[in-house]
Amino acid sequence: MKHIFKVGTLIICGLFAAVSCDDFVDIDPRYTQDGDNYFLNPNDYQRALIGAYDLMQTSYLDLWIGEVASDNSIAGGESVTDTQGLHQIDAMTHGGVNNELRGLWRFMYSGVARVNFIFVNKDNIEFADKARIMAEASFLRAYYYFELVKFFGGVPLVIDRNLAPRDVSSIPRASAQEVYAQIESDLQVATEVLEWTVPVKGRITKGAALALLGKVYLYQNKFAESATVLDRVITEGPYDLFDNFETMFRVANESSAETVFDIQYVGSEGGSYGCLVCLEGFAAVGFHGIRGYKGPIYGDGNSYNLPTQDLVDAFEDNDPRLGFSVLDIEAFKAEQTETVEYVQGVGGHTGYYNRKYLKRLDELGPGDNDLTSPVNHKVIRFADVLLMAAEAHNRKPSADNATALAYLNRVRTRPSVNMPALNVTGTALTEAIYHERRVEFAGEGLRFFDLVRTGKATDEIEGFVAGKHELFPIPQDEIDLAGAGWLQNPLY
């Protein structure tokens, strides 16, 4: 985020574990400011908000796990011990000791802690832009808790307060319902204050808050509420489907009307493997790159998150989104007039690569360009809003299949996709929406959670155990360090 908000960053510790901060921004001299002499002017609140945005840049974990845990992709990489946690998730053998899951837990709670630090000090002073800053902070807390609840279920719920280490042992796990209630409350605050458009790129908007609220309702099967909120995004917001699916994910098109909520990255600063949370670039892109690649268009990388044949076979005949979403390396190689070379990773090889988030020669960052991609992470697209709204209208108690079908066909028949319109209703329409979500969002990290919330994971994911794998295990180190008697999720 800091290529947009270029000021010094406030260093705030996480809830249960401190997280390293960026090496590439202007930092005030050590010991010159702390919580007792901060939040004394509007700029302090602005800088603290930037710090709260910062943890969203770890979103590569959400994307990876959402694909690798599903039937859409395999972990890949150099070997099965290369990012071993992803391979465990791929095989459904993951447990409470998993670096990727612990990283996600720590990063999200660090984001929560940074937001709470703002709320603890919200009454220090009054100033003109304060309501907007607090609304953005509310959205960020909702986002971090939504990530936590969808991965882990009920989690410790800490609101508007800072905790000393000795206080952690007194915090129980809240129920998932309690966490969702807090998320809804924060997002409702954000939707009431924020505007549809903002002058500063990367800021949260009313549309992002409404879209996330609609998704939160959908994940709880609150279909009527979801339909109402998402209809507002569709009818009131400034959004539309982008006219070129193939180039939608390129840097040049990152501000298109299809983008409802994205996480901003920049390729102008370096980074290192020693601190992935410190990166300004989107790590997923370089890690998805073709291992040992030499040739045109693309750059080499680490061959993670490789699409499966099952995903490829899910596309209908002549659906152009297949070629736009998945790179068939051998077919690509055969089409080129110059030599193309690549290496198959021992961690697995399917012959396919995630083309939406794939390193390209004309979008390279400096230094180790596996870590410095400027490509943004599109978290919610307008197509997602349309298909979520279609599902909500179809599944709500008083089903509105006509509206659901119209939204579905709007996605299918747009000129850059041009698939034939469907004419189905009832459960056939439900299944058509599920199918459309899979092919539309292939490679974007939504598939696992779609399968879980619709009850289809057991049938579609090899090794998935019902009653267990709907949630991921709470990191065992966090349970032990907290000493609060948190029960592990079932069957782990």
Side-chain angles (χ1 to χ4, degrees):
M1 305 297 299
K2 287 165 291 303
H3 63 301
I4 303 166
F5 318 126
K6 199 66 175 179
V7 297
T9 297
L10 176 66
I11 305 172
I12 308 170
C13 291
L15 174 58
F16 301 120
V19 176
S20 299
C21 60
D22 290 340
D23 297 324
F24 306 103
V25 296
D26 298 328
I27 303 296
D28 291 331
R30 295 180 67 187
Y31 314 121
T32 60
Q33 285 188 312
D34 57 27
D36 293 330
N37 61 7
Y38 207 74
F39 295 104
L40 302 178
N41 62 71
N43 191 51
D44 289 345
Y45 288 84
Q46 172 70 15
R47 295 173 66 213
L49 182 65
I50 295 168
Y53 268 96
D54 194 50
L55 270 297
M56 287 203 300
Q57 294 190 141
T58 62
S59 68
Y60 63 91
L61 285 172
D62 180 67
L63 189 152
W64 282 348
I65 296 172
E67 290 295 300
V68 168
S70 78
D71 50 354
N72 270 7
S73 73
I74 67 170
E78 182 178 8
S79 70
V80 294
T81 59
D82 184 21
T83 315
Q84 189 173 15
L86 283 182
H87 286 274
Q88 294 168 349
I89 292 169
D90 187 3
M92 289 287 129
T93 60
H94 51 279
V97 179
N98 183 290
N99 287 337
E100 279 58 54
L101 294 174
R102 191 183 187 201
L104 189 143
W105 174 282
R106 290 160 61 110
F107 297 153
M108 295 305 99
Y109 265 119
S110 292
V112 168
R114 294 185 183 194
V115 173
N116 281 340
F117 197 59
I118 299 172
F119 277 98
V120 166
N121 294 279
K122 65 184 176 63
D123 296 326
N124 287 20
I125 62 171
E126 296 298 325
F127 55 95
D129 207 25
K130 183 177 176 180
R132 177 194 56 79
I133 287 178
M134 301 312 299
E136 289 183 46
S138 295
F139 175 94
L140 294 174
R141 184 165 61 190
Y143 169 81
Y144 294 131
Y145 269 126
F146 181 54
E147 291 297 289
L148 287 163
V149 74
K150 78 180 187 182
F151 273 89
F152 304 108
V155 295
L157 190 59
V158 182
I159 303 298
D160 295 359
R161 59 181 172 140
N162 298 323
L163 291 182
R166 64 180 178 274
D167 298 324
V168 175
S169 62
S170 66
I171 302 297
R173 288 183 68 178
S175 68
Q177 291 75 18
E178 289 170 325
V179 178
Y180 272 119
Q182 179 60 45
I183 293 168
E184 291 175 15
S185 176
D186 274 336
L187 288 175
Q188 287 160 359
V189 168
T191 62
E192 291 169 2
V193 174
L194 298 176
E195 302 292 338
W196 287 104
T197 59
V198 292
V200 180
K201 181 181 175 183
R203 292 288 197 186
I204 298 302
T205 63
K206 182 187 294 289
L210 285 168
L212 184 57
L213 180 58
K215 177 167 284 194
V216 166
Y217 285 140
L218 193 68
Y219 271 58
Q220 300 174 80
N221 292 339
K222 295 181 177 180
F223 301 118
E225 295 92 333
S226 180
T228 298
V229 169
L230 293 170
D231 280 349
R232 287 193 61 193
V233 182
I234 295 167
T235 59
E236 299 176 31
Y239 309 109
D240 202 353
L241 295 167
F242 187 57
D243 60 6
N244 189 333
F245 192 100
E246 181 177 15
T247 64
M248 187 192 318
F249 291 81
R250 301 299 304 277
V251 170
N253 296 320
E254 64 186 15
S255 298
S256 76
E258 178 137 352
T259 301
V260 179
F261 168 38
D262 68 350
I263 295 174
Q264 303 281 321
Y265 292 92
V266 62
S268 61
E269 298 173 343
S272 74
Y273 288 92
C275 184
L276 293 183
V277 71
C278 304
L279 300 180
E280 301 297 323
F282 191 20
V285 175
F287 278 70
H288 290 172
I290 306 164
R291 184 171 293 275
Y293 179 82
K294 297 179 181 178
I297 302 177
Y298 301 105
D300 68 344
N302 298 299
S303 64
Y304 280 80
N305 192 14
L306 303 175
T308 61
Q309 187 66 49
D310 188 75
L311 171 60
V312 171
D313 293 343
F315 286 83
E316 299 166 68
D317 291 343
N318 301 315
D319 189 338
R321 289 173 295 187
L322 171 57
F324 300 157
S325 305
V326 177
L327 177 71
D328 182 330
I329 187 62
E330 285 297 322
F332 171 79
K333 183 177 178 179
E335 293 169 354
Q336 305 309 307
T337 58
E338 59 184 282
T339 300
V340 171
E341 299 177 7
Y342 71 96
V343 175
Q344 297 184 15
V346 180
H349 180 71
T350 64
Y352 302 115
Y353 295 85
N354 185 339
R355 193 176 177 211
K356 288 176 178 174
Y357 293 113
L358 192 59
K359 184 166 49 166
R360 295 172 177 266
L361 295 176
D362 61 352
E363 293 177 340
L364 298 181
D368 187 338
N369 52 49
D370 284 348
L371 306 176
T372 56
S373 172
V375 175
N376 288 347
H377 180 187
K378 296 186 183 301
V379 182
I380 301 180
R381 298 196 275 120
F382 188 58
D384 194 7
V385 172
L386 287 168
L387 291 179
M388 287 192 294
E391 181 182 343
H393 279 289
N394 169 251
R395 298 182 67 191
K396 68 184 184 180
S398 55
D400 181 354
N401 286 322
T403 298
L405 185 63
Y407 287 159
L408 169 63
N409 283 330
R410 186 172 173 183
V411 173
R412 286 180 59 84
T413 64
R414 66 196 192 271
S416 65
V417 174
N418 197 30
M419 293 299 290
L422 299 178
N423 187 17
V424 289
T425 190
T427 57
L429 176 55
T430 309
E431 294 300 322
I433 293 168
Y434 292 163
H435 170 267
E436 198 69 19
R437 288 191 62 81
R438 186 180 191 187
V439 297
E440 175 71 24
F441 306 118
E444 297 181 45
L446 306 186
R447 175 65 172 172
F448 175 78
F449 301 103
D450 277 350
L451 289 174
V452 167
R453 67 179 182 78
T454 58
K456 292 182 171 293
T458 304
D459 295 331
E460 302 297 335
I461 301 174
E462 184 176 356
F464 188 96
V465 176
K468 176 181 181 180
H469 288 131
E470 290 86 354
L471 298 175
F472 292 92
I474 293 179
Q476 190 60 46
D477 283 346
E478 303 301 328
I479 294 176
D480 296 341
L481 287 170
W486 302 337
L487 295 179
Q488 182 56 277
N489 282 329
L491 303 181
Y492 286 105

